Amino acid sequence: MYEFKLPDVGEGIHEAEIANWLVKEGDSIALDQPMLEIQTDKALVEIPSPVAGTIASINVQNGQMAQVGDLLVTIQDDSTSSVELPSEVQQSVSTATPDPTTTTIGIAGPGQRVLAAPAVRRLAREHGIDLSQLSGSGDSGRVLLSDIKQAIEAKTSAPPTPEPAPPV
């Protein structure tokens, strides 16, 4: 299960009103699919799903206020429900304790979410760019629009792979 909490949307915002849920309990949701809109005192913000799965429970209803860190929705994560890890891997994962002073920057590893805005994710999808293969130039390795544009240019200007010469 993935518990999605109201993220810190920045600039001293500590709470937001749930303006509109775009999904309901039992719905399937894709990665980065818009799932709700929140209203802050500065803007109406669309929040995409951080995982693919099924909406298990919605904990804050339309019109209610939520504080940063409040549990908004629980999602049955597709990747955890369909993948069975070997017991030795499960044990090593459950006993691993990351160093709290370490900040990881750069290319995301398996199971890590790449930091990128919804518009960046959409542009990458439209051009067949895998965000997990990019090293973002933004804060904490965030992939920016400029990174995607650079990847698109590199992809379109790359020389075609030459075909091997037929045997003589």
Side-chain angles (χ1 to χ4, degrees):
M1 288 289 204
Y2 184 89
E3 294 183 336
F4 182 81
K5 298 176 181 177
L6 181 63
D8 179 358
V9 289
E11 309 276 331
I13 307 267
H14 301 289
E15 65 180 6
E17 178 184 347
I18 304 304
N20 185 34
W21 280 100
L22 305 173
V23 295
K24 61 185 182 307
E25 289 181 7
D27 283 357
S28 289
I29 191 162
L31 175 66
D32 295 327
Q33 176 183 336
M35 66 177 175
L36 79 146
E37 297 172 327
I38 60 171
Q39 177 71 53
T40 69
D41 47 339
K42 296 185 178 187
L44 181 68
V45 179
E46 190 174 78
I47 306 288
S49 176
V51 295
T54 303
I55 303 297
S57 66
I58 293 177
N59 300 306
V60 182
Q61 301 305 313
N62 288 342
Q64 291 183 321
M65 295 298 289
Q67 302 294 315
V68 169
D70 284 355
L71 178 62
L72 299 181
V73 62
T74 304
I75 302 170
Q76 175 63 50
D77 184 349
D78 281 349
S79 65
T80 58
S81 63
S82 61
V83 175
E84 185 62 36
L85 297 174
S87 59
E88 61 274 4
V89 174
Q90 288 178 349
Q91 184 177 7
S92 68
V93 169
S94 65
T95 59
T97 53
D99 179 355
T101 61
T102 303
T103 302
T104 304
I105 297 178
I107 297 177
Q112 292 180 320
R113 180 157 166 80
V114 177
L115 296 174
V120 171
R121 292 179 183 284
R122 184 177 16 235
L123 185 62
R125 247 190 333 269
E126 288 171 359
H127 291 277
I129 307 249
D130 182 357
L131 289 176
S132 68
Q133 299 302 309
L134 296 180
S135 182
S137 63
D139 292 343
S140 299
R142 179 176 295 275
V143 177
L144 305 175
L145 275 174
S146 58
D147 299 325
I148 298 297
K149 290 177 182 174
Q150 215 172 25
I152 292 168
E153 286 176 25
K155 189 176 175 183
T156 57
S157 65
T161 308
E163 290 190 28
V168 221

